[in-house]
Amino acid sequence: MSSLRALALLAAVSLAPSTARAEPEEPTVGVAYVFATVDAYTVGNTTFDVTGTLVGESTPRTFRFWANGDSSVEASRCDRLALLVMTRPGRFHFSWRQDAPGYYPACTLTRQ
């Protein structure tokens, strides 16, 4: 391997977002998290992990939102909104809010 390739590989590894290896953060109930970009959206059995950059920040973060029982059906509707933000970065803001554990989540898509 050439030294230039090795240097490029080293730069790519060191500049990779640290959120890819970090545990997801637990969001505060009642707080709306507004994402300027969404890099990943993972749907689990009762969890939704959203990785992206919050409005006003420059580093991507991962949050784990919980949706129990019937609220998981409502939360799964957020998939389309998150996908739209992923395909059109900079045009929309995606927000997620849950007022209390077990309550239906509220997802919002707004144009910038």
Side-chain angles (χ1 to χ4, degrees):
M1 181 184 323
S2 73
S3 60
L4 185 57
R5 279 189 177 201
L7 184 60
L9 179 62
L10 179 63
V13 169
S14 63
L15 294 176
S18 61
T19 58
R21 297 179 296 274
E23 285 295 315
E25 297 178 44
E26 291 291 327
T28 303
V29 173
V31 173
Y33 291 86
V34 182
F35 294 87
T37 63
V38 174
D39 301 320
Y41 186 84
T42 306
V43 178
N45 198 13
T46 59
T47 62
F48 297 86
D49 292 351
V50 181
T51 302
T53 306
L54 294 174
V55 172
E57 296 184 3
S58 59
T59 305
R61 297 164 58 185
T62 301
F63 291 94
R64 174 162 289 160
F65 299 97
W66 296 88
N68 299 321
D70 292 337
S71 65
S72 63
V73 174
E74 296 295 325
S76 67
R77 295 179 181 167
C78 299
D79 295 356
R80 286 175 266 153
L81 303 180
L83 180 61
L84 188 56
V85 175
M86 289 176 75
T87 59
R88 308 257 174 144
R91 293 193 62 192
F92 299 100
H93 286 165
F94 171 75
S95 68
W96 179 290
R97 179 187 175 104
Q98 194 164 14
D99 290 325
Y103 277 43
Y104 292 122
C107 299
T108 306
L109 183 71
T110 54
R111 188 182 331 199
Q112 274 190 325

